[in-house]
Amino acid sequence: MKYIIYILLSFNLTTFTISAEETRQVDKHEHGVGELNIAVEGSTIEFEFMIPGADIVGFEYVAKSDDDIAKINQALKTFDDYTNIFTLPSNSLCELNGQKVALKEEDEHDDHDEHDDQDEHAEENHNEFYAKYSFECGNINAIKEVNFPYFATFTNSGELEVQFISNMGSTSFEVEGDEPSINTDGKI
Ligand SMILES: [Zn+2]
């Protein structure tokens, strides 16, 4: 069994327990479509991204060359500063209090149980970037929009499919680089 995760954890930040999303199969994604779940509860807001490697570094095979490994590590560092990915209004007084960034690669062993064909599998390899950020906000109702520098940061990026949940209900958004923000006014 081969299952590799590169993880960068920021020190002094709490980590998260494993959620259902984290254990899902990474080959269920669609290239060009990143997923984002935003959950608001009380004064807390959480962002959870699951984005195909193709949208971030342009490939999903297992990085072996120095160049490819450098690309992966640079991307993980970029995710490590959430302001490269999204920004919140400063008057919402949100402070980051937890984050996790990882590259998730699919489990090759499971595939080989069904199709013992390495060449075929190599062409179909998938991985995705996972990033989760949690904030405690002094004035969460001031989050009337969320902006996504993500699209400018990663030039291979496609759209983001956003699921937004608060005690007001749930909403979905499709965000693209030509209008990289969502309007959450009245939704928190
Ligand atoms: Zn893929």
Side-chain angles (χ1 to χ4, degrees), residues 30-47:
E30 179 184 342
H31 294 176
V33 180
E35 293 178 42
L36 166 60
N37 295 322
I38 302 176
V40 178
E41 193 174 348
S43 57
T44 300
I45 186 167
E46 282 189 354
F47 292 75

Side-chain angles (χ1 to χ4, degrees), residues 111-122:
D111 285 280
H112 286 193
D113 287 344
E114 291 174 35
H115 305 288
D116 195 20
D117 182 343
Q118 282 193 311
D119 288 332
E120 183 178 298
H121 180 262

Side-chain angles (χ1 to χ4, degrees), residues 12 15 25 40 46 49 51-52 76 80 89-91 106 119 122 125 146 151 161 165 170 183:
N12 300 321
T15 56
Q25 293 291 307
V40 178
E46 282 189 354
F49 292 85
I51 303 179
L76 290 168
D80 216 24
S90 56
N91 64 346
E106 75 186 305
D119 288 332
N125 195 59
V146 179
F151 297 99
E161 282 187 357
I165 298 174
S170 65
N183 182 343

Side-chain angles (χ1 to χ4, degrees), residues 26-27 29 31 52-54 60 125-127:
V26 302
D27 60 355
H29 62 217
H31 294 176
E60 295 192 2
N125 195 59
H126 294 276
N127 64 27

Side-chain angles (χ1 to χ4, degrees), residues 5-18 22 76-77 79-81 96-103 130-133:
I5 298 181
Y6 300 92
I7 297 179
L8 288 180
L9 282 177
S10 297
F11 293 104
N12 300 321
L13 294 172
T14 56
T15 56
F16 293 91
T17 53
I18 299 294
E22 289 185 65
L76 290 168
K77 275 186 197 160
F79 273 103
D80 216 24
D81 178 354
L96 185 69
N97 66 1
Q99 86 176 40
K100 177 179 180 177
V101 174
L103 176 67
Y130 177 89
K132 186 173 183 179
Y133 311 88

